Amino acid sequence: MTDRSAHFAAVYALLRAAGDVADHWVQTDFCAQTKGATDEAPVTFVHEDTEEKTVSGTAEGRRACAWHVTTYTATQAAVVVAGARVLGIRLHPGALAAALTISAATHYAADRRVPGGLLETLAKATKKTRFYKMADYGINGSYALDQAWHHGWETVAAVVAARVGTTR
């Protein structure tokens, strides 16, 4: 195994673990519910503790998605930098920045989830509309396709970080 392949495997594992933590523990309930809001399809968020209601449209949806992606990317950056240090892996800062940019941009594109958005359009184009809309049998199709999208792009990001960025 080459250093690059080992670096790829380590960076991918770090990106993926951090992505799961960021998506499910770091992301706020408000961002999770509001990031796909539009003026045509507003979202009413009910605060868990106060029961206060907030109606969000396009501007709030974009801000919520941007904040989620910011915390997601910061979590990935912190975990990859710390993990690489512990593992003795030296990654080129520019390559790591490029990798994190790939992860962030593709995450925003998928998570905005406006009606007729990127993932729904891809599901339709690949004849997976029924799967995308499935929310039964313990499966949520749009969530499964969302996670597969993120995993795929994190793989590309890890290749960029390891291929371009490895220093000796």
Side-chain angles (χ1 to χ4, degrees), residues 81-162:
V81 167
R85 179 170 285 222
V86 168
L87 295 170
I89 298 171
R90 293 180 49 162
L91 299 173
H92 188 278
L96 180 56
L100 291 168
T101 299
I102 289 167
S103 180
T106 58
H107 201 92
Y108 183 92
D111 275 22
R112 202 40 199 113
R113 287 203 196 118
V114 296
L118 176 65
L119 290 182
E120 188 175 3
T121 300
L122 287 173
K124 184 177 182 180
T126 58
K127 308 283 191 240
K128 296 199 178 305
T129 301
R130 289 175 62 185
F131 180 69
Y132 180 83
K133 292 180 178 183
M134 184 190 329
D136 206 350
Y137 310 106
I139 296 173
N140 180 304
S142 64
Y143 174 79
L145 292 173
D146 169 270
Q147 290 301 295
W149 170 269
H150 297 324
H151 295 201
W153 283 107
E154 287 164 349
T155 301
V156 172
V159 167
V160 168

Side-chain angles (χ1 to χ4, degrees), residues 9-72:
V11 172
Y12 176 77
L14 294 166
L15 283 170
R16 181 73 306 264
D20 256 1
V21 170
D23 249 354
H24 303 109
W25 288 101
V26 176
Q27 179 175 208
T28 67
D29 190 35
F30 179 79
C31 287
Q33 292 187 42
T34 307
K35 64 189 174 187
T38 65
D39 294 338
E40 296 78 26
V43 171
T44 301
F45 173 78
V46 180
H47 192 280
E48 188 174 328
D49 295 328
T50 66
E51 299 297 317
E52 180 183 344
K53 293 180 181 180
T54 306
V55 178
S56 298
T58 301
E60 296 86 2
R62 287 178 180 152
R63 279 194 298 274
C65 194
W67 180 248
H68 165 54
V69 171
T70 298
T71 61
Y72 184 94

